[in-house]
Structure formats: C-alpha cells, structure tokens
Amino acid sequence: MIFEYVKKYFYVDFNMNLCPKDGNILYDKNNIGRGILSLCEEKYKEGPNKIPLKDKKFKINQLISDISRLKNKYEYDEFEYDFLIYMYLSKIIKTYYLVNDLWIPKDKKLIKSLKNQDIKLYKLVSNVKNDNKYEKILKVTEYAFGSL
C-alpha cells in the first residue's frame, strides 16, 4: 500500500533505476519521509522484476539477429555503420544487465557501471573500435550471453 503511494505521488519508478541514496528529505516532521526512503531502499535492493528464461533467450536471439545484419559493412555508409555498431553495443550492455537480473543503469552511467560490474566485458566493449568492429562485437555478445 505505502509503496504504491510512493510510486504514485513521488513518481518513483524502479524500472527507471531510481537509486534511494539519491533521495533528499527536505522536511520530515513525523519521520514519514525517512520511512518511505527506507522502504524504497529495500525495494531497490530486491532488484528489478525477474524475467523468465525463455524471454531472456528471445531478447538475446533478437539482438544477435539484428547485429548479424551488419556482417556486410559495405552495405552501409561508414558513419551509418559505426552508428549502428555502437547502438547495438549499448543494447548488448543493457541486455546483459537485464538477463542477469540487475538494474539497468542510465545511459550516462552505463559504461562506468559496466566497468565495476564485469571488467572483462568492459574491456571487450572498449575494444570495439578501429577495424573488424563486427568480429569484435560478436566476441562481446559471445562473452555476455554465451552461458544462456
């Protein structure tokens, strides 16, 4: 009940990764705000809603299928190809968080969070540059989703 109240009136959306430590209480006469923040922190620590394995696999297969369209680099303008590679790289990272039942960081914090979460994946992602981007992004997907 109180959690729904918090979501409705304070616009707390845990799918958008609100972190309880970001909340500031400006005025709290009866410690209600502190209680709400404590409840939010508990809900945050529970993690996002778990997704069934078949849905995770479907999402991964769909992403790999999308990436496979980039196999022939010469079908695209150079700028368009690079744009798509990096867009899919972002999707890979977000899907990695999703399939591992972790909160997906905001775009601004995506790379820094990945570095703290999985240093090997971070290094593979940061290596997707210069030549052979397609082969490198395949290595990223293999490492990120190879166990599923």
Side-chain angles (χ1 to χ4, degrees), residues 48-64 94-102 144-145 147-148:
N49 294 333
K50 308 298 184 238
I51 297 171
L53 183 60
K54 68 176 184 152
D55 292 346
K56 291 177 183 181
K57 287 182 178 183
F58 176 78
K59 187 138 183 97
I60 291 167
N61 288 333
Q62 186 177 24
L63 180 58
I64 291 171
K94 289 177 181 179
T95 304
Y96 166 82
Y97 277 90
L98 186 75
V99 300
N100 287 293
D101 300 319
L102 301 168
F145 310 123
S147 64
L148 287 177

Side-chain angles (χ1 to χ4, degrees), residues 84-146:
L84 291 170
I85 284 283
Y86 293 120
M87 181 187 70
Y88 287 134
L89 206 51
S90 174
K91 286 184 177 187
I92 290 168
I93 297 168
K94 289 177 181 179
T95 304
Y96 166 82
Y97 277 90
L98 186 75
V99 300
N100 287 293
D101 300 319
L102 301 168
W103 291 110
I104 300 171
K106 294 181 181 180
D107 288 341
K108 184 176 174 181
K109 298 180 180 183
L110 197 59
I111 298 296
K112 185 182 275 187
S113 176
L114 181 63
K115 187 175 185 180
N116 293 329
Q117 184 67 35
D118 188 330
I119 191 69
K120 184 170 181 180
L121 182 57
Y122 168 81
K123 287 179 181 178
L124 286 169
V125 166
S126 63
N127 191 39
V128 180
K129 55 188 174 193
N130 302 329
D131 296 330
N132 303 320
K133 288 183 186 127
Y134 179 74
E135 289 78 13
K136 291 175 183 178
I137 203 169
L138 289 179
K139 286 181 184 178
V140 172
T141 56
E142 178 60 34
Y143 177 80
F145 310 123

Side-chain angles (χ1 to χ4, degrees), residues 38-90:
S38 176
L39 180 61
C40 290
E41 187 172 354
E42 287 175 31
K43 288 292 185 183
Y44 180 81
K45 286 180 181 178
E46 288 176 12
N49 294 333
K50 308 298 184 238
I51 297 171
L53 183 60
K54 68 176 184 152
D55 292 346
K56 291 177 183 181
K57 287 182 178 183
F58 176 78
K59 187 138 183 97
I60 291 167
N61 288 333
Q62 186 177 24
L63 180 58
I64 291 171
S65 173
D66 290 344
I67 292 169
S68 71
R69 295 182 191 137
L70 299 177
K71 188 172 186 174
N72 189 355
K73 176 180 180 175
Y74 302 105
E75 291 181 7
Y76 303 91
D77 294 333
E78 184 179 354
F79 176 78
E80 180 185 17
Y81 185 78
D82 287 345
F83 173 81
L84 291 170
I85 284 283
Y86 293 120
M87 181 187 70
Y88 287 134
L89 206 51
S90 174

